[in-house]
Amino acid sequence: MPEAKLEPLQHQSYEDVLFVNPNAPANHLFEAAESRLSRLEDMLRVLENHEGSDVLVMETARIASALAPLAGEAKQLYALAHQAR
């Protein structure tokens, strides 16, 4: 197994907290990306199916900022997986 080369995940406040190993097998990177996209999709469906004008609707900006890192990580993981192939 090649030595792990850690790369900081994008969309985080500090570059020394969360890492991904770009030398991981491509299928592992793809699965991690798909997991994040699935969670993102679930949350967006909750918003899509929500009716009413309560706190959830008023907190849209906060929800979007919480979901953006999932999308960014998935994008980064897919790019690394394509490089690993």
Side-chain angles (χ1 to χ4, degrees):
M1 174 185 246
E3 186 176 325
K5 173 192 165 210
L6 301 180
E7 181 173 310
L9 284 174
Q10 298 169 354
H11 304 288
Q12 60 178 335
S13 300
Y14 303 98
E15 292 186 358
D16 58 351
V17 179
L18 298 173
F19 298 92
V20 64
N21 178 7
N23 294 330
N27 64 315
H28 293 184
L29 294 167
F30 278 124
E31 286 177 22
E34 289 170 3
S35 172
R36 280 160 175 77
L37 286 176
S38 177
R39 286 173 175 79
L40 177 62
E41 212 171 30
D42 289 344
M43 291 297 295
L44 290 172
R45 282 201 179 100
V46 167
L47 294 174
E48 179 182 52
N49 294 327
H50 181 74
E51 295 178 10
S53 60
D54 60 12
V55 175
L56 184 61
V57 174
M58 292 184 284
E59 296 293 338
T60 303
R62 288 180 66 194
I63 293 167
S65 74
L67 297 178
L70 288 173
E73 287 176 13
K75 184 177 177 181
Q76 183 180 6
L77 287 163
Y78 270 113
L80 292 170
H82 280 293
Q83 291 172 8
R85 295 184 356 174

